[in-house]
């Protein structure tokens, strides 16, 4: 009798375990997740600067599965800005500096615009979001969520984001943002760390946080802003599900601090803050990479849109030689795939996006040119005419 009970018990336990292992196997075969992490302005020497000034080692270097180089030039300049650099990484095409996800030959997007990875992800049935320490209308998040002629078109970028179907758009607060317009389109609007943490899966959200505080490695006293690593962790928990997701994470302040003056009265602050921004970006990378390891079906790609500051070794120390962008090649660091990029392989920035599209099995969806404004104007007139004659 005892033996029979033991057998029945074993069968029951086996059956209870079975569905879990089956669903785990299904998950691994489902749509792949991709987390693309952009260290704005981050050259290889920024990692060295951070190690010289602030940390013993960096997770992104020590734990990664592969690493190579990205050549960052834009269509019209040897040195790209964040708009053209972001467009290469979002859309797989090179465009002119200042242009945001539009072709260099059609800057107003009249005829055609390139589809972004974030948009393609939505079309493939995935969830899709962007998070940044920059304001939400910054050139990098804008390159994934809007199409416009100039990166300074804040109202246009913000209006497109408010009207979009993205699951989350989080960053520093923007003057042109309208909470009521965003809410009308189904977004929950969050402005503090606590509000962000309270968001539930299935909700779509727009984050407008305290820009001056969110780049730091920990939440400063009195600050209500989340850090980049807190945003990354929460965003992943909201986006993760059976449908797969695409998330763009930008550490914007590596660039921002590297742009400040090299004059002696500012230099130490500049170095300390840039190193802290690299450290916080690395913490966010650890969050993403540890999720990827556990999940088994997530690719994490870390790169930069360009280098900022011309960091070089002078007298044995990593030192800024410029307060602007340079054209040097930047890192491509990968977790979750050993063959996304070959060892020390050098690829064009737009190939990063093209390879991500291929990894996600986008096929015809990406890269892709989609009809521009003239088509939508024509479609509007045609629909109006059809309604008129059908009366
Ligand atoms: Zn910059």
């Amino acid at each position: 009798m005892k033996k029979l009970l033991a057998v029945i018990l074993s069968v029951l336990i086996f059956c209870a375990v079975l569905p879990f292992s089956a669903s785990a196997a299904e998950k691994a075969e489902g749509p792949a997740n991709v987390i693309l992490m952009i260290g704005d302005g981050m050259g290889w020497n920024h990692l060295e600067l951070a190690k010289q000034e602030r940390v013993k080692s960096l997770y992104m270097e020590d734990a990664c599965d592969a690493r190579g180089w990205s050549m960052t030039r834009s269509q019209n300049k040897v040195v790209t800005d964040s708009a053209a650099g972001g467009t290469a990484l979002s859309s797989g095409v090179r465009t002119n500096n200042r242009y945001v996800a539009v072709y260099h030959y059609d800057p107003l997007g009249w005829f055609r615009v390139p589809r972004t990875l974030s948009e393609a992800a939505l079309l493939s049935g995935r969830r899709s979001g962007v998070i940044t320490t920059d304001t939400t209308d910054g050139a990098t998040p804008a390159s994934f969520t809007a199409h416009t002629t100039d990166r300074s078109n804040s109202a246009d970028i913000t209006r497109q984001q408010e009207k979009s179907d993205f699951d989350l758009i989080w960053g520093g607060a923007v003057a042109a943002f309208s909470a009521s317009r965003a809410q009308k389109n189904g977004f929950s609007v969050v402005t503090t760390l606590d509000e962000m943490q309270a968001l539930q899966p299935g909700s779509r959200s727009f984050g407008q946080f305290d820009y001056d505080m969110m780049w730091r490695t920990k939440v400063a006293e009195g600050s209500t802003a989340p850090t980049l690593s807190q945003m990354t962790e929460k965003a992943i928990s909201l986006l993760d599900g059976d449908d797969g997701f695409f998330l763009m994470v930008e550490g914007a302040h590596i660039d921002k601090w590297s742009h400040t003056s090299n004059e002696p009265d500012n230099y130490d602050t500049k170095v300390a803050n840039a190193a802290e921004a690299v450290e916080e970006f690395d913490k966010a990378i650890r969050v993403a990479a540890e999720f990827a390891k556990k999940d088994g079906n997530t690719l994490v790609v870390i790169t930069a849109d360009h280098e900022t500051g011309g960091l070089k070794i002078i007298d044995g120390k990593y030192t800024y030689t410029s307060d602007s962008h340079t054209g040097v090649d930047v890192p491509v660091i990968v977790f979750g795939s050993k063959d996304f990029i070959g060892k020390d392989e050098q690829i064009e920035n737009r190939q990063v996006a093209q390879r991500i599209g291929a990894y996600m099995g986008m096929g015809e969806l990406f890269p892709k040119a989609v009809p521009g404004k003239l088509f939508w104007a024509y479609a509007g007139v045609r629909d109006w005419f059809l309604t008129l004659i059908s009366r």
Side-chain angles (χ1 to χ4, degrees):
M1 187 65 191
K2 255 190 189 163
K3 229 179 193 175
L4 185 68
L5 263 178
V7 169
I8 291 171
L9 207 63
S10 318
V11 169
L12 278 177
I13 288 169
F14 180 68
C15 290
V17 167
L18 200 59
F20 288 106
S21 47
S23 69
E26 241 164 61
K27 175 80 178 97
E29 284 166 14
N33 307 316
V34 172
I35 306 172
L36 172 59
M37 309 188 70
I38 301 174
D40 202 307
M42 187 184 76
W44 281 111
N45 284 348
H46 284 82
L47 311 192
E48 301 305 326
L49 182 81
K51 286 184 285 183
Q52 171 184 291
E53 300 293 327
R54 211 176 152 90
V55 291
K56 273 211 186 76
S57 63
L58 289 165
Y59 182 85
M60 69 176 112
E61 284 190 295
D62 296 349
C64 68
D65 293 315
R67 56 162 118 176
W69 302 77
S70 163
M71 299 181 277
T72 61
R73 67 157 301 151
S74 69
Q75 178 67 29
N76 66 335
K77 293 271 160 60
V78 177
V79 179
T80 184
D81 71 343
S82 291
T87 300
L89 295 172
S90 74
S91 309
V93 300
R94 276 183 169 165
T95 193
N96 292 353
N97 284 6
R98 301 203 69 85
Y99 291 7
V100 174
V102 288
Y103 291 109
H104 68 94
Y105 53 80
D106 185 8
L108 292 168
W110 282 117
F111 301 98
R112 57 210 306 246
V113 293
R115 180 177 282 155
T116 70
L117 278 171
S118 327
E119 292 164 345
L122 283 180
L123 290 168
S124 74
R126 290 172 171 88
R127 291 185 179 160
S128 182
V130 298
I131 60 183
T132 178
T133 63
D134 199 357
T135 49
T136 46
D137 63 351
T140 308
S143 300
F144 286 79
T145 53
H147 305 269
T148 193
T149 320
D150 195 284
R151 56 187 291 171
S152 66
N153 294 343
S154 172
D156 184 22
I157 292 164
T158 304
R159 197 65 77 95
Q160 290 184 49
Q161 291 172 331
E162 288 162 356
K163 282 205 266 178
S164 73
D165 295 327
F166 296 110
D167 291 282
L168 52 93
I169 299 173
W170 297 350
V174 169
F177 176 74
S178 157
S180 61
R181 275 199 304 261
Q183 282 159 343
K184 224 167 143 190
N185 184 30
F187 284 111
S188 301
V189 178
V190 292
T191 59
T192 64
L193 168 65
D194 291 345
E195 287 175 7
M196 180 195 85
Q197 296 293 22
L199 287 168
Q200 296 296 318
S203 62
R204 295 172 53 244
S205 53
F206 220 112
Q208 293 286 284
F209 304 116
D210 179 356
Y211 169 78
D212 291 329
M213 286 298 166
M214 52 196 308
W215 66 274
R216 294 220 165 249
T217 51
K218 59 175 192 206
V219 183
E221 207 158 318
S223 167
T224 57
T227 62
L228 189 63
S229 38
Q230 286 172 325
M231 287 199 283
T232 304
E233 185 169 16
K234 183 65 183 182
I236 291 171
S237 78
L238 291 174
L239 296 176
D240 185 30
D242 293 338
D243 300 328
F245 70 84
F246 174 81
L247 173 65
M248 192 287 289
V249 178
E250 185 200 18
H253 282 72
I254 302 164
D255 173 72
K256 296 203 185 288
W257 289 117
S258 298
H259 269 299
T260 62
S261 162
N262 284 336
E263 292 301 314
D265 64 342
N266 184 61
Y267 193 80
D268 289 349
T269 313
K270 167 180 182 149
V271 166
N273 288 347
E276 187 174 345
V278 173
E279 185 187 357
E280 175 58 22
F281 187 52
D282 193 53
K283 283 167 84 177
I285 290 166
R286 181 191 283 267
V287 168
E290 283 179 354
F291 167 81
K293 250 175 223 162
K294 232 173 33 203
D295 179 68
N297 193 26
T298 299
L299 173 75
V300 182
V301 178
I302 298 113
T303 191
D305 45 2
H306 53 74
E307 197 265 1
T308 308
L311 275 164
K312 290 197 178 106
I313 300 190
I314 298 173
D315 295 333
K317 276 190 84 155
Y318 286 90
T319 309
Y320 280 102
T321 61
S322 155
D323 58 9
S324 192
H325 301 170
T326 73
V328 302
D329 295 351
V330 296
V332 177
I333 297 173
V334 180
F335 290 85
S337 166
K338 291 209 184 328
D339 51 14
F340 183 84
I341 192 163
K343 190 174 182 309
D344 286 330
E345 187 186 358
Q346 206 178 15
I347 61 175
E348 291 184 358
N349 50 2
R350 58 184 156 187
Q351 289 178 280
V352 175
Q354 291 163 5
R355 289 185 184 192
I356 289 174
Y359 179 89
M360 294 171 88
M362 290 292 191
E364 289 287 290
L365 284 178
F366 186 91
K368 172 105 178 159
V370 294
K373 285 178 198 158
L374 273 183
F375 170 83
W376 298 111
Y378 159 76
V381 171
R382 182 196 56 194
D383 289 352
W384 169 79
F385 182 70
L386 288 176
T387 334
L388 200 71
I389 58 170
S390 67
R391 270 187 191 150

